[in-house]
Amino acid sequence: MASSIGQNIKMTIFGQSHSPAIGVTIDGLPAGIEIDSEKLAGFMARRAPGKDRFSTMRKEADEVQFLSGLTDGKTNGAPLCAAIFNKDQHPKDYSAIWDTPRPGHADYAARVKYSSFNDPTGGGHFSGRLTAPLCIAGGILMQWLEAKGITIGAHIASVHGVEDEKFDRVNVTANQLNSLKQKAFTCIDDEKAEKMQAEILAAKGDCDSVGGTIECAVVGLPVGIGEPMFGGLESRIAEAVFGIPAVKGLEFGAGFEAANMYGSENNDEYYCDENGEIRTRTNNCGGILGGISNSMPLIFKVAFKPTPSIAKTQNTVSFENKTDTTLNIKGRHDPCIVQRAVPCVEAAAAVVIADLFISHLKD
Amino acid sequence: MASSIGQNIKMTIFGQSHSPAIGVTIDGLPAGIEIDSEKLAGFMARRAPGKDRFSTMRKEADEVQFLSGLTDGKTNGAPLCAAIFNKDQHPKDYSAIWDTPRPGHADYAARVKYSSFNDPTGGGHFSGRLTAPLCIAGGILMQWLEAKGITIGAHIASVHGVEDEKFDRVNVTANQLNSLKQKAFTCIDDEKAEKMQAEILAAKGDCDSVGGTIECAVVGLPVGIGEPMFGGLESRIAEAVFGIPAVKGLEFGAGFEAANMYGSENNDEYYCDENGEIRTRTNNCGGILGGISNSMPLIFKVAFKPTPSIAKTQNTVSFENKTDTTLNIKGRHDPCIVQRAVPCVEAAAAVVIADLFISHLKD
Amino acid sequence: MASSIGQNIKMTIFGQSHSPAIGVTIDGLPAGIEIDSEKLAGFMARRAPGKDRFSTMRKEADEVQFLSGLTDGKTNGAPLCAAIFNKDQHPKDYSAIWDTPRPGHADYAARVKYSSFNDPTGGGHFSGRLTAPLCIAGGILMQWLEAKGITIGAHIASVHGVEDEKFDRVNVTANQLNSLKQKAFTCIDDEKAEKMQAEILAAKGDCDSVGGTIECAVVGLPVGIGEPMFGGLESRIAEAVFGIPAVKGLEFGAGFEAANMYGSENNDEYYCDENGEIRTRTNNCGGILGGISNSMPLIFKVAFKPTPSIAKTQNTVSFENKTDTTLNIKGRHDPCIVQRAVPCVEAAAAVVIADLFISHLKD
Amino acid sequence: MASSIGQNIKMTIFGQSHSPAIGVTIDGLPAGIEIDSEKLAGFMARRAPGKDRFSTMRKEADEVQFLSGLTDGKTNGAPLCAAIFNKDQHPKDYSAIWDTPRPGHADYAARVKYSSFNDPTGGGHFSGRLTAPLCIAGGILMQWLEAKGITIGAHIASVHGVEDEKFDRVNVTANQLNSLKQKAFTCIDDEKAEKMQAEILAAKGDCDSVGGTIECAVVGLPVGIGEPMFGGLESRIAEAVFGIPAVKGLEFGAGFEAANMYGSENNDEYYCDENGEIRTRTNNCGGILGGISNSMPLIFKVAFKPTPSIAKTQNTVSFENKTDTTLNIKGRHDPCIVQRAVPCVEAAAAVVIADLFISHLKD
C-alpha cells in the first residue's frame, strides 16, 4: 500500500499537514526493544523545523506520544503506534491553493486524483511534515540496529552545487557517522557548511530556494543482507527514499559515475585483510552486489530538488476556470530542506535495513 | 518477495542462468489482452544476445512458451506462466568461480547468504539472463498499455561518457518512442551511436567493458497515476529498475541537476494550452509530483555500471582458503550491456505503470 | 502482517487492552466517503460492553477520535487513523496472570513467543477489546457499501445450543438485515432470544460462561466479487473472521451439512427469474462458487467458544516454577461474548467485501 | 494476490485444467532443502486420479518437472518452479458448458467476471486439478518440516455421514500420522473405510456424488508459531484451506461443538507433565490460543461438498438466451473427491506452517 512499507516490519504512516495528529503504526517490531526516549527526541530534533534561520518558522515540538506497543518502555510485540498531535496549525494560509495549484507541488495531481475530496492544506498527506513519523520509526530502529552493531549516518553532500567532502567509501566508521549527528549543520567540512548556509540565506533573500544532495552510509552490516531482484538493497532502499518528498535522484556507490568507467576500474577487487576477512580495495559498488551486502560500507546518495514553495510570484492556472493566473505563496517555508532531510534519509535507510536484517536472521 | 513485484498485477520471475528453464508467472493480468506474439518476439529480440559483435556470442533463441493463462491467444484471467527453455548451456565455463568470487558480481555475497547451496553457474538467479522473463512480462504489458494510449520507450543516453541527444522532456511523442524501437542500436543521434559502438569495441579489444545510461519516457499517462509516499511513481519505478542487474543510479526529470538549481528555475509553471488542458512549460519534475503523474511525459534516467565480467586478469580471493589469488574469467560476455538493456528498462517501467494504472481505474 | 488485512484497503489495528489508546489505520480508502458519525456511534454501541447484565461491567464509551484522513467529515484519500483512548483502566486486576496463564487465553503462548516483554494485562494485543477498532473500520465501510447497494447483517444463530431461526438463504433481504440491527439482543425469533439470555444468566450464576454461533448475510453483491484460489471470498472472509478472538469455526452456506449431502441435493440449480436474472432455487453454496459471488446472498456461520475468563477456580501452572497451581480470575468479564460479537462479524465481512469490491471495479 | 499465498515463502500456482502445463513457483524457500523425489512422487500419487474405481478415470502421471530453484537436488535460494505438463487432455468434453453453467461449479460466476475470455474447459483455473501444484509445494515443505520435527497428517473423517474414528487430540503422534499415509483409503478405522467406499460406489451407481470431511493434525510444533489477529494460525490455515476447491467449512479443535459448551468444559487446563513441560489435559482449542501454537497438537477439520459434476440431468440456464434448459455433464468425474483431497489438506497446512515457522525462527 501507498503509505506502508516493509515485509517483516511493516510501517504505515498516517496524517496530513494539518490533521489532528500525524503518526506511524509499526507492526512486526521485535519484542524487547528498549526505546531511549531522550535519544529519540534528539533524533527528531534534527528534523524539526523552526530551530534556525535556514528553516521554516513553523514551530512544532514534535513531541512523540506512544499510543500502543510499549510496556515499561520496551516493545512488547504488539503493533507500536506513535503520534504527534498538531498544535501549531495555520490552515488558513493555504486556502488560495485550492484553485491555483502550486508549481512543484502535488496539488494539481492530487486534485485530479482525489477530486474535490483532497486535503490541500499544507500539502495534506504529501506534506514534508509526514517525514516526522518516518523519523519516529527510523529513530527507534536505528537504536535497535545500533545494538546489533549496525550504524547509519548521513551528511549534506551538497547544497546548490557547493559540495562537502565525500565519505571515504572504504573506511568510513561508525564513530564518524555518530559524531556527524552532533553537528547543527551536518557537513564533514565545516567551511563548506558555512558556504552552503550562505547559499541558503542568499536564496531566501531572493524569495527563492535551493536544493542539494545527501550522502548516507551504513556500516557494520553482515554479509548477505538483501534479497535477489526486486528485494535487493537498492530496490528496497529506493522504495523508501523516493517516499521522501522532493527526492528526485538516487545512486549507490559510484552510481552515475560508474556509467563512465571501464569494468576494470569499476570492479572492486577482493583481498583478504590481516584478520582473514574478505574485503575489497575500492567500493564503487557501494557495498551492494546483486542486491546483497558484501561486507563493505553501504553508500548511497540522494538528490533533493529545491523547496517548491517560494515567495516569488509564479505562473499557474485556475483549476476551475482553466485560465492562466499567478500565485503568491504565503506561509512559512524552508528556503532549503536538505539540512532537515538528513535524519529522514537515515530513517528511510533504517526502516529498510531493519526489515531485511530480520529476514537475514532466518537465512 | 524478492523475485516478485506488483500489487494488482503480481509478477514472479524464476530461473537461473543455467536452470532447465527461466520464466515468469503473472497473476492479476486483466482478462482479454490479446498478445501479438510476433510483436512480443520482436521486443524480446531487442534484448537477445548474440545478434551483433557488441554482445555476447551466447545464442539464445529466447523462444517464449506459454504454459498457462491464455485461451485463443488472449489472457483468460488465470495466472499467465511463460517460460524460455535453456538450450545453449555451458555451465562448465563457470566452474572456477565457485571458490574465487568474480569482482563486481554477486558471487561472494550469494555464497555467504546461501552458503554452499548457491547456484554459481553463470550468476545463477542473479544473472542478467533473468531480464528475459522481465521482458516477457513487460512486452505483454506494453501491448496492453499501448491499447490504452500509453507508450513507453527508451534510448541509450550514453556509453562510457559519449552522450546521445536527450529527449525533449516536454514534447517527446509516442511516434518518436516507437520509431526508436526500430533501430539496431537505440540512439536518437546515429552519429553518437557510431561513437558509442567504437567505445564498446575498443573496450572489448582491451579485454575490458564499459557502462552507460538509458533514458526512458512514458507518454499518454492520465493525470493521477501513482499513490502517495512509498506507492509513488518514483518509488515503484525504482523498485523495478533497481531489480535489473548492474543498475546503480536512477533519476527522474532533472534529477541530480535539480539539486543544483533554484526553486524558481526548477519549478514547472502551469499554463492552459489551446485545448484548455493544464500543462507545464518545463518538465524538470519528469512528469511526477508527489509521486503522481501530472499530465507531462514521465522521464527517468538509469545508470548501468560496466559489465563486471571482463577478460582481464583480476585480483580476488579463494573463498575456502582465505588467501589472495587471481582470476581469469572465461566464457562469452558482453563488453557492454547497455544496448541490450534498453527493452529491460522499458519492461520495468511497463510492469509498474500497468500495475498502477489498474489502481487508477478504480479511483 | 499479523495485525493488518486487505489488498486495496489495508487496515492495521493497534493497541492493547490497557494501552493509552487502541485504534486502526486504514490506507487505500476511496476519497469522498461521507462518514455519518452518529450511525457509526450506533454501530460501535452494539459492540460496547457494560450496556446490560449479559456483558462485562467495564464501561468504555468507545468514543472514536479521527486523527487523520478526513476533511469536512469525508475521507480525503490519505490514510484514516481513528483511535479510542482508554479511560477506564484496571490493569491491577490482571497482575496474577503474569505467572499463571489463564486456560483458554493466549497468555501462555504469548509469554513464550514474546518472552518477558509480552503485555499480559487484559490479554494485551489479544484482548477482545481490539475488536473495537475492527468495528470502526467495518462501520465506516458498511456505510460505503450500503451506498453501493450492498448490505451486511448478522444475528445470533445460537447460544449454548439454543438455536434462533435461520436466515432464508435464498430470500433474505436488506430490510431484514437492517431491522435486526435495531434489536437489543440480535435474534430473529424473540422467544429464542429470551431463552438464550436465560442460558447466559444461568452460566453467569454458576461462575461460568457459554459460547454460541453467529450467522451473517451479505445481500446486493454483484456477480463476480472475489478472486480465484486463496483470493476467494471464503479464504478472505475466513482470514478476517478468524482474526476475531474466540472464533473456532466457520462455514459457508450449507457448510458442514453439505459434507453429508448428495451432489444432486447440494448443487444449486440455475433458473431465469421473471426479470431474466440468473438465480438459483437453493443456496447451499452460500452465494459463493469458485470463491466468487454468484448473485445469491452470501451466507456464513461462525462458531464462538465460551468466554475463557470464568470466575470458577481453574487448574493452571506457575510459568516460572513449572509446578501445578490454581487460578481465580478476578475482574469483569462477559459470561457470553456472542451478543457483542455480532457487529464484529459484520465488520469483518465489510472489511473483506469492500476490499474485493474495489478489485471488482477494475475487472 | 489470488493465486499466491505466504509471506516468507510465497507460492504462486498457475495453470488451468487443460493448459499446456500447471505448476507452482515458490519464492523464499530456504536454501539447502534436499528434495527426496521418490517421496514427493509418493505424496503426489496419493492425490492422483485414475488409481481406483472411486476416482475419475482421467489418468495423469502428474510427473513433476523442476524448471528452476534446484542445484544437485537441493534448493539453492532461487525461486523454485515446478511444472506438470498436461498430456491427457480432452477439452472437447466440456464444450457445452460454455453456455450452460454447471450447477455447483464456478462457470457462471467466472463467465461474468472474465466475460467471454474465461477458460471454461474443465473448470479452467478453478479446476480441482490445480491442487496438484499445491501438493508439489506442500510435499516439499512437509519434507523440510519433518526434518525440523514437525509432522503433518490427515485422514478422512467422514464420507456422506459415515464417520471415521477421530484423532485423539491430546495424544496423536507423528508415527500415527505417517502410518496413515501408507493406506490406500486414508481412514483410521478400516471398517469405516469399507462403509465409506460403499457409499461412494452407491452414489456413483446413482449418477450422483457424495461429500465428506477431513481431519488434519500437526504435531511437533514449537510453542509460539503464529502471529496475532489476522496472522494467527486459524486465519492463515483458513486462507490456504478455503483455497482448495469444494471446501465449505473449517473448524479448529472442538470447533462448532465448542459453541455448545460451558467455559469450564471448553477451557483446556494447564498442568506440568513429568518432564516439566507445560501441557493441557484436553485440547478443545486444537492447539491454538490467540492464533498461536500452545504446545498441543494442532487439529482442524475441513468440510468438502459433494463433487458438483454428476452424471444426472440437471436444470440450468442458457447464459446467452437467458432461458431455462437442462444439462447432462459428460466426461470423467470423481463420485467423491474427499479421499483424493487428504494430501491437499496436508499440503495447505504445510504451506502455512512452513511460512510461519520461518517467522518464528526470527522471534
Side-chain angles (χ1 to χ4, degrees), chain A residues 1-5 7 11 13 101-110 112-114 125-126 130 134 158-161 199 203 206 208-213 223-232 234-235 238-244 247-253 255-256 258-272 276-278 281 284-286 288-295 301-310 312-319 322-324 360 363, chain B residues 1-5 7 11 13 101-110 112-114 125-126 130 134 158-161 199 203 206 208-213 223-232 234-235 238-244 247-253 255-256 258-272 276-278 281 284-286 288-295 301-310 312-319 322-324 360 363:
Chain A
M1 294 302 297
S3 303
S4 295
I5 196 167
Q7 310 277 339
M11 174 183 83
I13 289 175
R102 296 168 299 173
H105 278 284
D107 303 344
Y108 169 62
V112 173
K113 185 175 186 69
Y114 303 116
H125 189 56
F126 298 90
L130 272 298
L134 172 65
S158 73
V159 166
H160 200 241
E199 286 289 332
D206 285 348
D208 216 326
S209 66
V210 287
T213 58
V223 183
I225 300 280
E227 305 290 329
M229 295 206 173
F230 313 111
E234 289 116 331
S235 285
E239 184 192 1
V241 162
F242 279 112
I244 302 172
V247 170
K248 298 304 278 189
L250 173 64
E251 59 183 5
F252 293 86
F256 277 88
N260 297 338
M261 290 161 78
Y262 286 111
S264 58
E265 289 173 274
N266 182 64
N267 280 353
D268 303 304
E269 294 187 320
Y270 292 102
Y271 75 102
C272 285
E277 300 287 333
I278 296 174
R281 296 196 185 275
N284 291 318
C285 72
I288 310 172
L289 289 172
I292 302 177
S293 61
N294 79 338
S295 85
K301 197 161 91 173
V302 186
F304 285 82
K305 69 180 185 184
T307 322
S309 287
I310 56 175
K312 268 190 182 154
T313 300
Q314 294 181 89
N315 293 308
T316 184
V317 293
S318 161
F319 186 87
K322 300 279 183 280
T323 52
D324 293 351
H360 175 72
D363 274 343
Chain B
M1 294 304 297
S3 303
S4 295
I5 195 167
Q7 309 277 337
M11 174 184 84
I13 290 175
R102 295 167 300 174
H105 277 285
D107 303 343
Y108 169 62
V112 173
K113 187 175 186 68
Y114 303 117
H125 190 54
F126 299 90
L130 272 296
L134 172 64
S158 73
V159 166
H160 200 240
E199 285 288 332
D206 286 348
D208 215 327
S209 65
V210 287
T213 59
V223 183
I225 300 279
E227 305 290 329
M229 295 204 177
F230 314 112
E234 289 115 330
S235 285
E239 184 192 0
V241 162
F242 280 112
I244 302 172
V247 170
K248 299 303 278 190
L250 173 64
E251 59 182 5
F252 294 87
F256 277 89
N260 297 338
M261 291 162 78
Y262 286 110
S264 57
E265 288 174 274
N266 182 62
N267 280 353
D268 302 304
E269 294 187 321
Y270 293 102
Y271 75 101
C272 286
E277 301 287 333
I278 295 173
R281 297 199 184 273
N284 292 316
C285 72
I288 310 172
L289 289 172
I292 303 177
S293 61
N294 79 338
S295 86
K301 198 161 90 172
V302 186
F304 285 81
K305 68 179 184 184
T307 322
S309 287
I310 55 176
K312 269 190 181 154
T313 300
Q314 296 180 87
N315 293 308
T316 185
V317 293
S318 161
F319 186 87
K322 300 280 184 277
T323 52
D324 293 350
H360 175 74
D363 276 343

Side-chain angles (χ1 to χ4, degrees), chain A residues 96-149:
Chain A
I97 63 166
W98 182 242
D99 187 54
T100 49
R102 296 168 299 173
H105 278 284
D107 303 344
Y108 169 62
R111 176 71 192 271
V112 173
K113 185 175 186 69
Y114 303 116
S115 71
S116 62
F117 307 114
N118 183 45
D119 172 9
T121 56
H125 189 56
F126 298 90
S127 167
R129 179 137 177 69
L130 272 298
T131 55
L134 172 65
C135 284
I136 299 175
I140 291 169
L141 291 168
M142 280 170 74
Q143 292 186 18
W144 181 61
L145 290 170
E146 189 84 41
K148 303 286 182 188

Side-chain angles (χ1 to χ4, degrees), chain C residues 250-330:
Chain C
L250 174 64
E251 59 183 5
F252 294 86
F256 277 89
E257 273 178 51
N260 296 339
M261 291 161 79
Y262 286 110
S264 57
E265 289 173 275
N266 182 63
N267 280 353
D268 303 303
E269 294 187 322
Y270 293 102
Y271 75 101
C272 285
D273 72 9
E274 56 281 10
N275 305 314
E277 299 288 334
I278 296 173
R279 291 174 56 80
T280 59
R281 295 197 186 273
T282 52
N283 185 12
N284 292 316
C285 73
I288 310 171
L289 289 172
I292 304 177
S293 61
N294 78 337
S295 85
M296 300 303 289
L298 191 163
I299 309 278
F300 65 91
K301 197 161 91 175
V302 186
F304 285 81
K305 69 179 184 186
T307 322
S309 287
I310 55 175
K312 270 190 181 154
T313 300
Q314 294 181 89
N315 293 308
T316 184
V317 293
S318 160
F319 186 88
E320 292 297 344
N321 300 336
K322 301 280 183 277
T323 52
D324 293 350
T325 182
T326 59
L327 172 72
N328 287 294
I329 296 178
K330 298 194 186 73

Side-chain angles (χ1 to χ4, degrees), chain C residues 174-249:
Chain C
N175 278 348
Q176 182 184 5
L177 298 179
N178 283 330
S179 64
L180 275 167
K181 289 170 192 158
Q182 309 306 320
K183 296 198 178 189
F185 196 94
T186 324
C187 282
I188 299 174
D189 181 335
D190 293 336
E191 280 184 40
K192 294 299 177 62
E194 296 285 337
K195 286 188 187 167
M196 290 179 190
Q197 293 175 39
E199 285 288 333
I200 297 172
L201 289 177
K204 189 182 181 183
D206 285 347
C207 299
D208 215 326
S209 65
V210 287
T213 60
I214 291 173
E215 190 185 32
C216 184
V218 185
V219 301
L221 268 185
V223 183
I225 300 281
E227 305 290 328
M229 296 206 175
F230 314 111
L233 278 164
E234 290 116 331
S235 285
R236 297 293 309 281
I237 289 174
E239 184 192 1
V241 162
F242 280 112
I244 301 173
V247 171
K248 297 305 279 190

Side-chain angles (χ1 to χ4, degrees), chain C residues 14-88:
Chain C
F14 60 85
Q16 304 122 240
S17 185
H18 295 94
S19 56
I22 60 176
V24 63
T25 305
I26 316 174
D27 195 5
L29 219 44
I33 302 179
E34 183 158 10
I35 299 178
D36 181 331
S37 299
E38 206 171 325
K39 198 170 176 181
L40 180 62
F43 183 72
M44 299 298 294
R46 290 174 60 209
R47 194 211 72 92
K51 61 179 189 286
D52 58 39
R53 63 212 162 121
F54 315 113
S55 307
T56 169
M57 291 306 291
R58 178 171 169 171
K59 282 176 189 155
E60 294 283 355
D62 278 358
E63 189 197 341
V64 178
Q65 292 188 30
F66 292 101
L67 303 188
S68 70
L70 292 185
T71 301
D72 299 334
K74 290 181 191 150
T75 57
N76 57 26
L80 182 147
C81 184
I84 297 168
F85 286 80
N86 279 324
K87 291 164 191 166
D88 182 22

Side-chain angles (χ1 to χ4, degrees), chain B residues 139-222:
Chain B
I140 292 170
L141 291 168
M142 280 170 75
Q143 293 186 19
W144 181 61
L145 290 171
E146 190 84 41
K148 303 286 182 188
I150 300 169
T151 303
I152 299 171
H155 70 110
I156 305 167
S158 73
V159 166
H160 200 240
V162 178
E163 296 193 5
D164 189 21
E165 197 180 305
K166 288 179 186 166
F167 281 139
D168 176 339
R169 284 187 207 137
V170 171
N171 298 309
V172 58
T173 64
N175 279 347
Q176 182 184 6
L177 298 179
N178 283 330
S179 65
L180 274 167
K181 289 170 191 158
Q182 310 306 322
K183 296 197 176 188
F185 195 94
T186 323
C187 282
I188 300 173
D189 181 336
D190 292 337
E191 281 184 38
K192 294 300 177 63
E194 296 285 336
K195 286 187 186 164
M196 290 180 191
Q197 293 175 41
E199 285 288 332
I200 297 171
L201 289 177
K204 189 183 182 182
D206 286 348
C207 299
D208 215 327
S209 65
V210 287
T213 59
I214 291 173
E215 190 185 32
C216 185
V218 185
V219 302
L221 267 186

